Amino acid sequence: MKQFSFQINSELKNTKARAGKITTPHGEIQTPAFITVGTAATVKALTPEQVTSVGSQAVLANTYHLYLRPGEKIVKKAGGLHEFMHWSGPMFTDSGGFQVFSLGEAFGKGISKVATGEAMRSSVNERMSQAKKAKISDEGVTFYSHIDGSKHELNPEKSMQIQHSLGADIIFAFDECTSPMAQRDYQEIALDRTHTWAQKSLTEHQKLNAEQSKYQALYGVVQGGQFKDLREHSAETLGAMEFDGFGIGGSFTKDDIATAVNWVTEKLPKEKPRHLLGMGEVIDLFEGIEAGIDTFDCVSPTRIARNGTVYTKNGRVSLTNAKFATQFEPIEEDCQCYTCQNYTSAYVHHLLKAQEMLSATLLSIHNLYFVTHLVDLIRESIENDSFYRLKKDFLSSYYRK
Ligand SMILES: [Zn+2]
């Protein structure tokens, strides 16, 4: 009754890059693929039809947010996430682990998936209102809701029960996402705990899957911080378990994402899909895919859109800049997205200045189209052996090197 499979169709010579297909009960995902983030069972500012129109094949929602609001019981009563949010394609949910730690335990420590000055500052600011910390033990995590301060517990079994109630096609084992700043001795303790939780997640998941007609696929989450031997140990330990695929979790230092991913993909079973959690900058996409990543998710395209920033072939641009007030051309002349086909930069600049909601919609459409389309191009370049030409041309223009 297994309704999940992964098939590799082409591989790029002398690299780990591959193009293939993930099959789920709600359809196929051509890989590599960018998975659109729909945190609270909605891709912010877009209808599911608009999400489909930009080329998104699948959506990832956050267990932590949906558990707190509206609660998994309500989603289950609605018939599961697909029915509830009117999305008929493949869906992922994360384990809830990252948000529990980033909104709780990491308060004041600046946890982020990537250690950069900017991320550290914004993460500390975001958490200034979080007066109480999450508490971690081998049994699980006690944390306080960022919405109303109420106390909650999350553990591997409960994460699985929530994710089964939500009903996504691909779900993740409960893991401890450590800060990139954490010392080695703490990373070791956290990694042992992540491995114990992985087995507990798997056991509970298999029990729940046997009780339902729909098959949900479970990915184990590789951790280990910036330490090569810990990352390898994690990949080997989880790789030997009966997971359907693997997530690669934070934490990284910004320059080392590709290196750390390579350590892990070297050890993971080749025939199972790999998802890089929460990473999707242009450079990460090229280097992640080259290192054997099949799927990505990242909030950046929609988050920066709401601030008026767009991706272009020449890098990120802020449309709030005064020079756009009279630029009566599309954001990108040759972009085939709905926004560029129908609107000018001057119009979107006006919407941003007037704080009109439509700006978020139009810019999210452009940014999601940009990232999704880029990964489509990378997939084609693996199939027709032009990956390195695309990578060189695209990166030199995007980063103006
Ligand atoms: Zn566009």
Side-chain angles (χ1 to χ4, degrees):
M1 154 346 248
K2 194 163 180 171
Q3 300 145 340
F4 179 85
S5 64
F6 176 58
Q7 182 186 319
I8 297 170
N9 297 326
S10 352
E11 292 173 81
L12 189 67
K13 278 194 292 283
N14 304 319
T15 73
K16 299 199 196 80
R18 65 259 190 100
K21 180 176 78 177
I22 295 171
T23 305
T24 78
H26 287 88
E28 295 175 350
I29 304 167
Q30 305 299 323
T31 63
F34 182 84
I35 312 302
T36 300
V37 175
T39 301
T42 171
V43 177
K44 290 189 199 306
L46 300 184
T47 64
E49 286 76 9
Q50 288 169 323
V51 176
T52 301
S53 76
V54 301
S56 292
Q57 303 182 73
V59 169
L60 180 145
N62 293 125
T63 293
Y64 168 88
H65 290 281
L66 294 170
Y67 159 72
L68 289 179
R69 188 169 56 193
E72 74 281 7
K73 290 190 181 73
I74 287 180
V75 176
K76 189 176 185 180
K77 220 171 193 172
L81 268 178
H82 289 90
E83 285 289 321
F84 189 48
M85 69 181 282
H86 176 51
W87 173 259
S88 58
M91 277 207 78
F92 294 64
T93 47
D94 63 3
S95 71
F98 176 69
Q99 275 86 13
V100 164
F101 296 113
S102 61
L103 296 169
E105 169 64 17
F107 170 69
K109 291 187 197 163
I111 196 179
S112 162
K113 295 190 182 188
V114 181
T116 64
E118 189 192 349
M120 301 291 280
R121 280 191 297 281
S122 69
S123 59
V124 170
N125 288 339
E126 273 172 26
R127 284 158 209 138
M128 286 305 281
S129 59
Q130 297 289 314
K132 295 171 179 170
K133 289 181 182 179
K135 287 191 184 65
I136 306 173
S137 73
D138 289 344
E139 279 64 55
V141 187
T142 305
F143 66 98
Y144 298 88
S145 162
H146 73 284
I147 300 167
D148 60 9
S150 56
K151 189 178 174 183
H152 299 268
E153 284 174 39
L154 202 52
N155 56 43
E157 290 80 8
K158 193 162 175 190
S159 173
M160 290 303 105
Q161 290 154 11
I162 296 168
Q163 292 188 77
H164 274 262
S165 291
L166 296 174
D169 304 288
I170 296 171
I171 68 178
F172 287 90
F174 191 61
D175 61 316
E176 179 173 350
C177 187
T178 52
S179 161
M181 315 313 287
Q183 297 302 307
R184 168 139 191 143
D185 53 351
Y186 189 79
Q187 293 281 12
E188 286 179 8
I189 294 167
L191 190 59
D192 281 344
R193 194 146 47 208
T194 286
H195 293 164
T196 306
W197 290 355
Q199 186 55 57
K200 286 185 174 181
S201 295
L202 190 56
T203 304
E204 181 70 11
H205 164 75
Q206 287 172 335
K207 190 186 99 193
L208 293 168
N209 246 1
E211 292 166 359
Q212 63 191 31
S213 59
K214 194 186 106 173
Y215 187 88
Q216 290 178 267
L218 179 65
Y219 283 22
V221 180
V222 176
Q223 292 286 358
Q226 67 274 45
F227 300 102
K228 182 171 189 245
D229 60 324
L230 296 186
R231 285 271 174 195
E232 289 175 340
H233 170 60
S234 187
E236 283 172 341
T237 305
L238 298 179
M241 297 184 191
E242 286 178 75
F243 288 112
D244 296 293
F246 300 93
I248 300 176
S251 44
F252 305 97
T253 50
K254 185 69 190 159
D255 299 332
D256 287 346
I257 295 175
T259 310
V261 168
N262 262 307
W263 297 335
V264 169
T265 51
E266 191 67 39
K267 302 288 179 187
L268 286 174
K270 193 185 151 190
E271 70 281 5
K272 292 184 178 177
R274 298 110 174 219
H275 181 92
L276 185 58
L277 283 151
M279 302 282 163
E281 295 306 326
V282 166
I283 184 82
D284 303 337
L285 297 173
F286 278 99
E287 295 193 340
I289 290 168
E290 204 174 344
I293 295 296
D294 303 299
T295 53
F296 300 82
D297 75 275
C298 186
V299 293
S300 281
T302 48
R303 180 174 285 170
I304 67 170
R306 295 195 297 281
N307 296 324
T309 303
V310 287
Y311 296 111
T312 76
K313 287 192 188 64
N314 299 311
R316 288 188 185 193
V317 172
S318 173
L319 290 177
T320 57
N321 192 306
K323 73 178 180 189
F324 291 107
T326 53
Q327 195 156 313
F328 300 105
E329 283 106 38
I331 297 165
E332 286 204 285
E333 205 61 66
D334 56 351
C335 177
Q336 300 300 311
C337 87
Y338 166 80
T339 302
C340 292
Q341 292 295 307
N342 295 289
Y343 304 89
T344 63
S345 295
Y347 178 65
V348 181
H349 173 84
H350 155 68
L351 294 179
L352 286 163
K353 288 286 160 191
Q355 296 185 314
E356 287 291 341
M357 290 187 287
L358 186 59
S359 65
T361 300
L362 294 181
L363 297 186
S364 294
I365 287 173
H366 171 82
N367 281 351
L368 282 175
Y369 181 91
F370 181 94
V371 176
T372 306
H373 185 63
L374 173 58
V375 178
D376 290 346
L377 287 177
I378 298 176
R379 182 169 62 247
E380 285 164 25
S381 80
I382 295 170
E383 287 162 351
N384 63 28
D385 205 16
S386 59
F387 176 84
Y388 287 105
R389 195 170 67 225
L390 176 71
K391 182 183 175 187
K392 183 169 169 284
D393 291 351
F394 205 97
L395 293 184
S396 62
S397 155
Y398 190 82
Y399 294 104
R400 289 169 230 169
K401 279 174 188 159

